[in-house]
């Protein structure tokens, strides 16, 4: 009458359903597997604590599983992650036998590697190995340890990439400051000194070839300053910055004008290099500045027109400007030393750097239409 409770208690403690001597071997086998499972978890924990690599931790997990099941081989098959993040196939034990079995399809899945809804892979082994419910529970624990190791490794890789990006952006910012505070200022100063010398040479009636050489040197300095400014702008943007399309940038520019300025966009916007967006936005800003300062206009319009092989920007106003006078002023600004109409020269230089051109016509609003045309596509780097 009292045997059943005793046997139930024994089964609860040992996993064996009888205390008869004939079941002693089952008890020994159960205890042995439990001991190996605890030992396996300890070895995995030691590998993780020692900050071992992903391959080493996964190998320890597979070795623990193979030892638990007394299997000749076990394999971890990759699934659902990039090839660079996991070994495609990790084998322990008799690798020759394992590879042949995998190649012939003579294997079974012992435990999947799941992280939420993501399936990272599975533990495979030979067909016919006896597994108990307790074995499968331990295998699930080992699979969970493999998932933790994989996720930990992925997190470490992400942190490493973030640190590298931070170092890169810090260096980009340093170079940008150095170019702006030192190199660009020296080149600009050299150009001003050359311009002063050119003016003095011209006033003294020196040889024309000397004056031409100084003019060429001045133009070279101006080109260098423009290229430096583009480089500084590009360096100042980090990898995390999002580049807005030209219409969005122009919309923001127009919204800050004191005059009533409308923006019109025609056609399908084309992707432009960031430096091209910067140059065109700055050119439109120069035109709007001239509009508000010189044209005596009350309203204006910025029109962007995309064609298959051409991008056209127009800045129109209803002021009293004269297109012919502006064309003449643009030509004169390229050779003047007093800075008058330098804004027009800057617009022309920015468009030329993109392989484009600027022209002036009578606007349908009654004032001047500043027309900027750039061939598409615009090469990256801003050079036409």
């Amino acid at each position: 009458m009292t045997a059943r409770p005793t046997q139930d208690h024994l089964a609860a403690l040992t996993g064996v359903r009888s205390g008869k001597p004939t079941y002693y071997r089952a008890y020994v086998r159960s205890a042995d597997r439990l001991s190996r499972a605890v030992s396996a978890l300890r070895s995995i924990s030691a590998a993780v604590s020692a900050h071992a690599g992903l391959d080493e931790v996964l190998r320890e997990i597979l070795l623990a599983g193979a030892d638990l099941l007394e299997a000749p081989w076990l394999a971890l098959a990759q699934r659902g992650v990039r090839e660079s993040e996991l070994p495609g196939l990790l084998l322990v034990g008799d690798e020759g036998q394992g590879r042949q079995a995998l190649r012939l399809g003579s294997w079974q899945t012992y435990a999947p590697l799941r992280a939420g809804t993501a399936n990272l892979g599975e533990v495979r082994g030979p067909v016919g190995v006896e597994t108990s419910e307790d074995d499968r529970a331990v295998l699930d624990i080992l699979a969970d340890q493999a998932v933790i190791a994989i996720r930990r490794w992925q997190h470490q890789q992400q942190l490493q990439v973030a640190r590298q990006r931070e170092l890169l952006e810090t260096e980009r910012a340093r170079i940008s400051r150095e170019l702006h505070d030192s190199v660009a200022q020296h080149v600009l100063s050299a150009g001003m000194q050359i311009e002063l010398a050119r003016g003095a040479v011209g006033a003294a009636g020196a040889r024309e070839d000397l004056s031409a050489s100084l003019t060429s040197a001045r133009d070279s300095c101006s080109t260098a300053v423009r290229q430096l400014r583009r480089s500084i702008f590009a360096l100042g943007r980090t990898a995390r910055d999002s580049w807005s399309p030209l219409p969005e940038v122009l919309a923001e520019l127009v919204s800050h004008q004191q005059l009533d300025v409308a923006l019109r966009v025609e056609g399908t916007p084309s992707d432009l290099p960031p430096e091209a967006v910067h140059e065109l936005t700055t050119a439109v800003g120069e035109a709007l500045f001239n509009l508000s300062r010189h044209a005596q206009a009350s309203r204006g319009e910025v029109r962007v027109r995309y064609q298959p092989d051409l991008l056209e920007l127009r800045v129109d106003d209803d002021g009293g400007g004269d297109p012919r006078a502006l064309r003449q002023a643009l030509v004169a600004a390229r050779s003047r030393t007093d800075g008058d109409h330098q804004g027009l020269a800057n617009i022309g230089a920015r468009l030329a750097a993109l392989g484009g051109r600027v022209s002036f016509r009578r606007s349908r609003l009654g004032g001047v239409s500043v027309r900027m045309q750039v061939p598409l596509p615009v090469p990256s780097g801003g050079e036409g």
Side-chain angles (χ1 to χ4, degrees):
M1 299 291 290
T2 60
R4 176 63 60 183
T6 302
Q7 291 179 0
D8 289 343
H9 293 161
L10 183 61
L13 290 172
T14 66
V16 180
R17 293 192 170 276
S18 173
K20 295 180 181 180
T22 54
Y23 287 89
Y24 180 70
R25 287 191 298 274
Y27 165 74
V28 170
R29 185 170 64 251
S30 175
D32 184 52
R33 286 194 171 185
L34 178 61
S35 176
R36 288 202 298 268
V38 172
S39 176
L41 293 176
R42 285 176 177 171
S43 65
I44 295 169
S45 177
V48 173
S49 300
H51 302 288
L54 175 63
D55 186 85
E56 184 177 345
V57 173
L58 294 180
R59 188 172 295 278
E60 285 290 338
I61 291 172
L62 287 178
L63 287 172
D67 185 53
L68 173 71
L69 301 177
E70 298 180 352
W73 62 271
L74 277 186
L76 186 147
Q78 169 190 343
R79 183 184 297 170
V81 293
R82 291 193 298 272
E83 192 170 321
S84 61
E85 291 186 346
L86 270 179
L89 184 69
L90 185 61
L91 257 170
V92 298
D94 189 335
E95 295 189 10
Q97 180 182 347
R99 291 187 184 282
Q100 183 178 8
L102 291 169
R103 185 168 56 252
L104 297 176
S106 180
W107 54 268
Q108 68 183 60
T109 299
Y110 285 94
L113 273 60
R114 292 196 180 96
T117 58
N119 189 353
L120 302 184
E122 58 191 10
V123 177
R124 299 175 180 176
V127 176
V129 174
E130 180 184 352
T131 58
S132 66
E133 183 177 347
D134 292 338
D135 293 335
R136 289 189 289 272
V138 174
L139 285 173
D140 286 338
I141 294 174
L142 295 179
D144 289 342
Q145 292 294 317
V147 170
I148 293 172
I150 293 169
R151 288 305 196 207
R152 176 173 172 268
W153 185 88
Q154 290 173 333
H155 182 60
Q156 289 174 341
Q157 293 297 108
Q158 292 169 356
L159 288 177
Q160 183 177 355
V161 170
R163 284 195 293 267
Q164 291 174 346
R165 184 182 294 117
E166 183 179 2
L167 290 174
L168 176 61
E169 291 174 358
T170 300
E171 183 64 9
R172 284 164 61 98
R174 186 194 67 78
I175 295 173
S176 177
R177 288 193 303 270
E178 183 68 19
L179 288 175
H180 180 272
D181 297 341
S182 178
V183 180
Q185 301 305 319
H186 285 304
V187 175
L188 185 60
S189 176
M192 295 175 63
Q193 294 296 325
I194 291 172
E195 185 62 26
L196 290 174
R198 194 179 74 88
V201 166
R207 299 194 318 269
E208 291 185 2
D209 60 338
L210 181 58
S211 178
S213 296
L214 289 172
T215 299
S216 177
R218 178 207 63 183
D219 293 342
S220 296
C221 285
S222 298
T223 301
V225 168
R226 287 195 299 271
Q227 292 176 345
L228 279 169
R229 285 173 176 169
R230 284 198 297 272
S231 298
I232 291 169
F233 171 77
L235 284 169
R237 303 296 297 234
T238 68
R240 290 172 294 184
D241 288 333
S242 58
W243 294 101
S244 299
L246 179 62
E248 293 184 14
V249 179
L250 291 178
E252 183 178 357
L253 176 66
V254 165
S255 67
H256 290 90
Q257 302 301 311
Q258 295 181 346
L259 295 177
D260 179 18
V261 180
L263 175 65
R264 307 271 189 267
V265 179
E266 301 175 5
T268 303
S270 302
D271 291 334
L272 298 174
E275 58 271 16
V277 174
H278 170 67
E279 294 289 356
L280 292 172
T281 303
T282 304
V284 171
E286 291 268 14
L288 290 172
F289 176 77
N290 289 335
L291 181 157
S292 62
R293 182 178 180 185
H294 302 294
Q296 297 180 341
S298 61
R299 66 189 180 98
E301 181 182 88
V302 176
R303 186 179 294 271
V304 184
R305 184 183 182 190
Y306 289 93
Q307 300 180 48
D309 58 354
L310 185 70
L311 171 62
E312 183 180 50
L313 296 95
R314 289 169 43 184
V315 180
D316 291 58
D317 65 72
D318 63 351
D322 181 5
R324 180 179 299 178
L326 288 177
R327 284 194 291 269
Q328 295 173 349
L330 176 60
V331 174
R334 292 168 179 162
S335 59
R336 294 180 70 96
T337 62
D338 57 6
D340 194 21
H341 293 296
Q342 190 60 40
L344 297 177
N346 289 340
I347 293 174
R350 293 182 187 280
L351 269 294
L354 298 173
R357 65 188 185 90
V358 61
S359 61
F360 305 94
R361 299 182 184 180
R362 177 63 63 186
S363 170
R364 60 182 179 80
L365 298 181
V368 173
S369 177
V370 182
R371 301 193 176 189
M372 296 167 264
Q373 294 181 327
V374 176
L376 295 177
V378 178
S380 181
E383 298 300 333

